[in-house]
Amino acid sequence: MTDNFFGDIHGWDFEGFHTGGDTEAWKRLGAHLVTVTDESGTEISGTRFTVWAPNAKEVRVFGDFCDWDGDAHPMRLIPHTGVWGIFLPGVGAGAVYKFKVRGADDRWIDRADPYARYAEQPPATASVVIADSDYEWNDDAWLEHRRNSKLYQEPMAIYEVHLGGWRRGKSYQDLATELVEYVSWQGYTHVEFMPVAQHPYEPSWGYQVTGYFAPQSAWGTPDELRYLIDKLHEAGIGVLLDWVPGHFPKDEWALGRFDGTALYEHADPRQGEQPDWGTYVFNFGRNEVKSFLVSNALYWIQEFHFDGLRIDAVASMLYLDYSRGDNWVPNIYGGRENLEAIDLLRYVNKHLYERQPGVVLIAEESTSFPGITKPVHHGGLGFGFKWNMGWMNDSLGYLSLDPIYRQYHHNEMTFAMVYSFSENFILPISHDEVVHGKGAMVTKIPGDDWQKFATLRAFYAFMWSHPGKQLLFMGSEFGQRSEFNESAGLEWWVSDLWGHRGVQLLMRRLNEVYRHVPALWKLDTDPAGFRWIDADDAGGNVFSYLRNDGAGDQVAVVVNFSPAPREDYRIGLPTEGVWTEILNTDLPEFNGTGGYVNHQVVATEIPSNHLPASASVLVPPLGAVWLRFDPHGVRDDQSTN
């Protein structure tokens, strides 16, 4: 029966794979439960194994079904495909296996399946046969909403989560209750999972992937991950996934030198190795690698209902000289741009937006490469959003200064508005900013605890009212003092303490107000949605500006990064009448003083800041105030019971 290993696989099935056009390669490669009919008409069930290893001299499959006898099941090369295959009767779901590959270099190496859809729990590294999922989704209403969404004109507040470190020891199923309840209570619109593809090395946080099609088995089964996503969707929460197509680790049992040659990676180490991370770089110009990566991107969205991908380390893909000093190879035009990687990113973005309307592709890109979020048909890379790393660096640099010195760095907080509408931006305070000696958010800020927590609350109010969508890494919403440590989990116990609890409750209020005020998000990508009131009050460490939705909703924001209150601070306003305070970071419920509350202010016909009206505002020390125009407002001193 092993001679009948082809089953329903023929040479032509791999034509798209070899031309870079197979966007569902996982359906053809890897391990699949099939039923074949023998010469007598008898149906026989088993597993079909296929693996691409064109330069291998021999390939075998072995596992617990043959007592790990590496000689038991030699595979055959399917003519003209570079793919080895075999059908093994009786091998069913749950079987654990590896490929034994004799490479072009004559070395025998045991390999995990590149297309495995499940794997052993770390630190074990074998692949596991799994049936096609029959999970019954309950998110039809969510997917319909997603198809009709207008992301640029909708609220997006993202909670970034490392699933293994949010609460240690929790499974996908546990998180489907606990994480969903917490994110719903906090009010975020989306969660973003740090990579969930199989990665036995836990300290990599998932950025060194060994199983691109297998959800991390340490936290549960693929269907249990589906259940978690389903529950988030039922709660009205979008789910984004960190995707790592730029590089992969050198573990001998994984993708590297898979058939004894540089198969998935570029052969030239000047192009095929990433010195910063000690990893291999994909050969983006190889058609079979294109099929692998575009299939993988679609796989997570199609098979797991993720609402989008955040693509990691895009800058490392775009530039041939990234972190390589003088040791790099120019492109065919003599430039530093990686033309093959650019082509791949455009291909992935275009295909996913066409195939799955409503999904979002987000670039973590730290340079000024043009057109990151410009459509492919207009010459751009085709991403939906880009992380605003410049805003992040400038803002955190400003926060780290003693208030007396902030006046000399005032422009670092205003500079982002020079380019804020050149791309569609997300403002990220991500995991990268609270590790490796950078300190947690609250510890970046000088002063005593009162100053630290007050400043942090003011900063989050600044961030949530700034043009662009928002992203905050877990633990930062309650001011955890320790850096992120995947082996310890978050310090939830501090969230009940003074200061920490205030920040956590403020974040809940920020999300609540944000989601209900279109002025704060409707025109995030349009310069018409923002205007400075006063960008130049460096001496006061105060920033004031207006947000509007183009349809009458208007919010004035005043943020004071000085420990001195502003008790009669006049701001220009575009409209006379009542402006109601909808947020004040200094309220007692947020562990503030409660001494600088406006309730409402009345703008009168006194021009200021080049605006036709103005009002005097109480601005708390190290605090922020949001005021919303109320066209039907009645002054407090004129109201009647």
Side-chain angles (χ1 to χ4, degrees):
M1 178 56 62
T2 56
D3 286 339
N4 193 23
F5 71 90
F6 293 107
D8 60 348
I9 289 293
H10 303 280
W12 58 264
D13 285 310
F14 297 101
E15 181 178 352
F17 177 67
H18 293 306
T19 60
D22 189 348
T23 61
E24 296 183 343
W26 75 88
K27 294 183 177 180
R28 278 159 282 283
L29 289 156
H32 292 272
L33 299 177
V34 295
T35 299
V36 301
T37 303
D38 67 10
E39 294 80 358
S40 67
T42 303
E43 290 188 342
I44 302 176
S45 296
T47 297
R48 182 191 70 219
F49 296 94
T50 49
V51 61
W52 177 55
N55 302 301
K57 295 181 176 179
E58 295 180 67
V59 181
R60 301 167 184 171
V61 63
F62 67 118
D64 59 0
F65 45 82
C66 62
D67 294 325
W68 295 99
D69 179 358
D71 298 322
H73 299 296
M75 302 173 73
R76 287 177 54 188
L77 185 63
I78 303 174
H80 313 299
T81 68
V83 175
W84 300 75
I86 192 171
F87 171 77
L88 294 183
V91 175
V96 183
Y97 69 99
K98 277 192 175 183
F99 295 120
K100 194 175 190 70
V101 180
R102 181 186 167 212
D105 54 2
D106 275 324
R107 296 177 63 215
W108 284 99
I109 298 178
D110 298 344
R111 302 281 188 175
D113 182 354
Y115 284 87
R117 292 169 291 149
Y118 194 40
E120 286 187 296
Q121 290 196 24
T125 59
S127 304
V128 178
V129 176
I130 191 170
D132 291 340
S133 176
D134 59 0
Y135 180 82
E136 294 185 8
W137 290 91
N138 296 295
D139 63 351
D140 287 351
W142 172 265
L143 295 182
E144 179 64 23
H145 161 76
R146 188 179 82 184
R147 277 189 290 271
N148 298 315
S149 64
K150 297 179 180 179
L151 281 173
Y152 306 121
Q153 300 172 12
E154 295 178 359
M156 180 181 283
I158 305 166
Y159 186 57
E160 187 190 20
V161 180
H162 180 274
L163 290 179
W166 188 71
R167 285 192 173 130
R168 289 289 294 172
K170 300 297 182 180
S171 66
Y172 295 130
Q173 282 194 302
D174 297 329
L175 294 166
T177 299
E178 297 177 26
L179 180 64
V180 173
E181 288 178 352
Y182 182 74
V183 174
S184 298
W185 177 73
Q186 275 277 285
Y188 292 93
T189 65
H190 292 72
V191 294
E192 180 181 305
F193 295 165
M194 291 168 67
V196 302
Q198 189 74 11
H199 54 280
Y201 183 56
E202 186 182 22
S204 79
W205 310 325
Y207 293 101
Q208 298 213 8
V209 179
T210 56
Y212 273 81
F213 291 84
Q216 178 73 339
S217 57
W219 307 325
T221 68
D223 275 354
E224 288 167 347
L225 174 59
R226 290 181 173 93
Y227 178 72
L228 167 58
I229 296 167
D230 205 11
K231 287 300 179 183
L232 284 160
H233 283 170
E234 287 184 39
I237 299 163
V239 191
L240 309 173
L241 174 66
D242 239 336
W243 186 51
V244 191
H247 65 113
F248 59 91
K250 294 183 176 181
D251 301 78
E252 192 171 59
W253 49 270
L255 290 180
R257 303 295 192 266
F258 191 84
D259 63 357
T261 68
L263 192 63
Y264 288 88
E265 67 274 33
H266 205 289
D268 189 331
R270 296 173 297 172
Q271 297 169 269
E273 298 193 21
Q274 181 47 255
D276 276 0
W277 306 310
T279 51
Y280 287 129
V281 176
F282 282 106
N283 183 352
F284 301 114
R286 186 163 197 166
N287 285 335
E288 294 86 354
V289 173
K290 288 182 182 179
S291 289
F292 177 84
L293 290 173
V294 71
S295 293
N296 189 243
L298 178 64
Y299 174 76
W300 292 109
I301 289 174
Q302 181 169 295
E303 297 295 314
F304 289 87
H305 291 201
F306 279 103
D307 299 297
L309 304 176
R310 174 265 194 188
I311 290 75
D312 178 63
V314 170
S316 75
M317 300 173 67
L318 295 178
Y319 297 104
L320 293 164
D321 61 344
Y322 185 90
S323 294
R324 292 186 173 91
D326 296 327
N327 192 30
W328 58 283
V329 180
N331 63 36
I332 59 173
Y333 303 109
R336 58 196 285 254
E337 295 79 14
N338 189 330
L339 303 179
E340 289 82 8
I342 290 169
D343 178 67
L344 173 80
L345 290 170
R346 286 174 170 160
Y347 176 29
V348 169
N349 288 337
K350 186 173 185 294
H351 183 76
L352 264 62
Y353 277 125
E354 290 176 351
R355 188 80 172 266
Q356 298 284 333
V359 300
V360 60
L361 286 305
I362 301 165
E364 185 221 4
E365 204 282 318
S366 55
T367 75
S368 56
F369 191 94
I372 296 288
T373 59
K374 193 176 182 179
V376 171
H377 60 277
H378 288 156
L381 289 189
F383 285 95
F385 289 98
K386 169 181 171 172
W387 276 18
N388 194 336
M389 311 294 278
W391 172 90
M392 178 270 297
N393 284 317
D394 289 344
S395 298
L396 295 185
Y398 180 88
L399 279 190
S400 69
L401 298 168
D402 188 282
I404 197 171
Y405 300 117
R406 287 176 181 160
Q407 60 185 310
Y408 306 114
H409 297 265
H410 192 79
N411 65 317
E412 293 177 18
M413 291 288 272
T414 61
F415 180 66
M417 290 313 304
V418 173
Y419 61 85
S420 270
F421 305 105
S422 62
E423 302 276 7
N424 305 323
F425 281 119
I426 289 175
L427 311 181
I429 299 296
S430 73
H431 65 277
D432 278 331
E433 310 320 315
V434 293
V435 293
H436 300 154
K438 295 179 183 178
M441 282 298 292
V442 74
T443 65
K444 296 178 190 289
I445 302 167
D448 59 25
D449 271 4
W450 186 89
Q451 292 172 312
K452 287 177 182 291
F453 285 111
T455 303
L456 189 58
R457 296 194 304 269
F459 173 70
Y460 287 154
F462 172 79
M463 177 180 176
W464 251 245
S465 58
H466 193 284
K469 311 307 181 184
Q470 292 81 29
L471 177 141
L472 190 65
F473 180 61
M474 64 182 197
S476 301
E477 83 277 11
F478 59 80
Q480 174 169 311
R481 294 180 190 268
S482 299
E483 290 190 335
F484 168 53
N485 180 349
E486 77 287 337
S487 64
L490 297 184
E491 297 175 346
W492 286 103
W493 60 274
V494 306
S495 65
D496 290 329
L497 303 179
W498 180 94
H500 300 276
R501 183 64 171 174
V503 173
Q504 188 181 44
L505 292 176
L506 173 77
M507 291 309 305
R508 183 170 188 252
R509 180 68 59 83
L510 277 175
N511 282 326
E512 178 185 21
V513 175
Y514 168 77
R515 292 175 70 150
H516 290 93
V517 178
L520 296 172
W521 40 261
K522 192 68 175 286
L523 298 180
D524 266 335
T525 61
D526 187 335
F530 177 90
R531 175 174 176 169
W532 285 110
I533 296 173
D534 188 352
D536 300 319
D537 187 4
N541 293 355
V542 177
F543 304 85
S544 54
Y545 46 91
L546 295 161
R547 298 297 311 275
N548 76 87
D549 71 344
D553 191 33
Q554 302 178 84
V555 173
V557 177
V558 188
V559 187
N560 177 18
F561 285 109
S562 163
R566 308 293 184 229
E567 298 190 7
D568 186 16
Y569 193 80
R570 183 158 293 275
I571 58 170
L573 291 167
T575 309
E576 296 177 53
V578 173
W579 291 71
T580 301
E581 185 175 82
I582 57 173
L583 184 86
N584 188 318
T585 64
D586 191 50
L587 294 180
E589 64 192 278
F590 309 136
N591 300 141
T593 70
Y596 303 91
V597 179
N598 293 276
H599 298 299
Q600 67 170 218
V601 301
V602 179
T604 58
E605 193 178 350
I606 302 175
S608 182
N609 304 115
H610 305 289
L611 289 162
S614 65
S616 178
V617 182
L618 289 171
V619 188
L622 300 173
V625 170
W626 293 358
L627 303 166
R628 188 183 193 187
F629 177 65
D630 184 353
H632 308 294
V634 177
R635 288 176 51 166
D636 288 343
D637 58 3
Q638 294 179 355
S639 61
T640 56
N641 292 329

